[in-house]
Amino acid sequence: SLLFLKLENETKGKLQKRICQVVLDHFEKQYTAELGDTWASVRDVLTYPLCWQYAVLLNKFSQSAELENTLHVKGYVPAFQGPLLYRPASLNCYIRRTPGRFPAQKHQAGKLKEYYLLNAASLLPVLALEVKDGEDVLDLCAAPGGKSVAMLQCAYPGRFHCNEYDDLRSRWLKQTIGSFIPDPLINLITVSKLDGRQIGDLKPELYDKVLVDAPCSNDRSWLFSSDIQQAMLRLIRRKELSSLQFQLLRSAIKALRPGGSLVYSTCTLSKAENSDVIDLILNSCSNVMPVDISEMAKAVSQEFTFFSGTQQHELLVLPEKGRAWGPMYMAKLKKM
């Protein structure tokens, strides 16, 4: 089938053309140094969207047996079947080994969506946070809202505060929550547009659990920056991100009750925005302790590939073919 080959090569050409060389060169230098030999296989996945995978997170507030049947027929299987200590039965996520994306659902007024498409690795911070019924929860940098929706699949918080500083992203967050969460529950949710760095001072010791899914250099999307100027600017400003991440974390710690816990996550491989930020927090805040999450990592090792150079309170998901999840870094801390 020559036509098919021709089409496939054209698609490949289009995909290859879209890679931003400036960003790739920058990553090449940094990640070869930080990840060593594993970078080459990670790069192969990140630069080749045809092998990317998407998980399907079901919405328990809009259940459909028909949808589950369709997923089974298309070769999807339930994720997170390992011996997880925290795995709410109401959190249902489907994945399959083959690449491709299940069709997205259009927004319909007055009708809840049945599922959310996401990178399966982005559910790991939610599993690590272990939200329980009645707890007061803060999602500090919540847009576009996938992790907020996932947390609400797990438990009914006492109070649920979703914050997003950026105006456009905040509107996106509101729309996501409105499309997935039914009326009575929506009343428990506060959506704010505060500067995350100030929340700790505004709402001290108010929350049992805080998720800091921090703004970061998004490796996947940065590699496909179509605007060279924007890409250059991003790479220059990249150095400032770790300082913002540190400030957000410090604010989150202030907002936590003693005994409460916090999960920090990013979708970058960059050590400066991951381990370095957490090390700085642990060295500068005497009231937080690292929490061992290696058992959780072990329980999901069927689905994910982890970088071996991390400590017990952190993990880094490396995308590989057939398990193209991540990049996703996360660390868990507890306030004393």
Side-chain angles (χ1 to χ4, degrees):
S1 128
L2 276 171
L3 181 66
F4 177 72
L5 274 174
K6 184 166 172 266
L7 278 172
E8 195 180 33
N9 286 333
E10 274 172 20
T11 332
K12 274 186 191 158
K14 272 190 195 126
L15 288 166
Q16 297 312 35
K17 260 197 289 257
R18 285 190 8 237
I19 287 171
C20 183
Q21 199 55 47
V22 186
V23 175
L24 185 57
D25 293 345
H26 181 92
F27 283 1
E28 195 69 49
K29 245 209 305 277
Q30 182 185 349
Y31 294 152
T32 302
E34 289 177 10
L35 303 170
D37 299 341
T38 47
W39 164 241
S41 60
V42 170
R43 182 192 57 212
D44 289 350
V45 173
L46 292 182
T47 55
Y48 191 55
L50 288 179
C51 76
W52 292 5
Q53 290 157 276
Y54 296 85
V56 183
L57 174 67
L58 303 194
N59 185 11
K60 71 172 179 185
F61 305 111
S62 173
Q63 278 178 326
S64 144
E66 196 184 337
L67 170 64
E68 294 205 47
N69 290 337
T70 309
L71 287 166
H72 284 306
V73 168
K74 291 192 179 294
Y76 284 84
V77 295
F80 310 116
Q81 295 303 302
L84 276 167
L85 288 172
Y86 174 85
R87 191 198 165 279
S90 51
L91 181 76
N92 277 307
C93 176
Y94 282 84
I95 58 174
R96 61 173 183 179
R97 277 296 174 109
T98 47
R101 188 200 285 248
F102 198 71
Q105 267 182 321
K106 294 260 185 295
H107 181 73
Q108 287 178 291
K111 195 169 187 293
L112 292 180
K113 291 190 178 183
E114 293 176 357
Y115 57 90
Y116 189 95
L117 299 178
L118 79 182
N119 184 325
S122 40
L123 291 174
L124 293 177
V126 174
L127 289 168
L129 198 58
E130 303 191 6
V131 175
K132 307 204 167 54
D133 288 346
E135 288 182 330
D136 295 328
V137 181
L138 167 63
D139 190 350
L140 191 69
C141 318
K147 292 184 181 72
S148 298
V149 166
M151 283 189 270
L152 290 164
Q153 301 299 317
C154 295
Y156 290 90
R159 265 181 303 194
F160 194 56
H161 180 179
C162 300
N163 182 66
E164 179 55 54
Y165 186 47
D166 181 89
D167 197 47
L168 189 70
R169 287 173 63 83
S170 177
R171 290 206 291 268
W172 189 8
L173 169 66
K174 279 189 178 133
Q175 191 184 1
T176 303
I177 290 172
S179 319
F180 285 91
I181 310 303
D183 257 349
L185 188 55
I186 272 202
N187 303 334
L188 301 175
I189 304 170
T190 310
V191 179
S192 66
K193 283 201 309 198
L194 301 164
D195 181 336
R197 292 169 292 191
Q198 288 159 9
I199 281 186
D201 292 324
L202 295 168
K203 309 201 176 276
E205 306 204 336
L206 205 68
Y207 304 99
D208 302 298
K209 301 278 163 78
V210 180
L211 174 66
V212 183
D213 186 39
C216 66
S217 34
N218 184 327
D219 296 351
R220 260 184 208 244
S221 70
W222 281 25
L223 276 167
F224 295 90
S225 316
S226 48
D227 179 343
I228 270 287
Q229 255 56 50
Q230 183 203 40
M232 301 286 281
L233 199 61
R234 276 172 167 174
L235 293 173
I236 292 163
R237 290 205 183 137
R238 190 174 197 207
K239 297 179 184 67
E240 298 157 24
L241 279 168
S242 53
S243 146
L244 167 65
Q245 291 155 345
F246 177 76
Q247 292 171 304
L248 288 169
L249 265 170
R250 243 196 350 210
S251 170
I253 291 162
K254 283 183 188 168
L256 262 185
R257 293 187 179 126
S261 47
L262 168 161
V263 169
Y264 172 75
S265 61
T266 73
C267 52
T268 180
L269 297 160
S270 176
K271 188 172 170 292
E273 298 174 52
N274 295 341
S275 298
D276 290 357
V277 176
I278 294 295
D279 289 346
L280 194 58
I281 281 284
L282 288 170
N283 291 328
S284 62
C285 302
S286 55
N287 61 342
V288 286
M289 294 279 296
V291 178
D292 186 345
I293 51 172
S294 54
E295 281 305 309
M296 183 187 98
K298 220 179 289 166
V300 296
S301 57
Q302 287 302 303
E303 282 109 341
F304 302 99
T305 304
F306 297 110
F307 180 54
S308 57
T310 54
Q311 299 177 72
Q312 290 186 311
H313 60 274
E314 54 178 2
L315 51 86
L316 176 62
V317 178
L318 300 177
E320 62 169 39
K321 288 209 168 91
R323 297 199 279 193
W325 315 115
M328 171 65 58
Y329 171 84
M330 52 174 278
K332 186 171 183 177
L333 308 172
K334 190 182 172 81
K335 184 169 179 176
M336 308 318 287

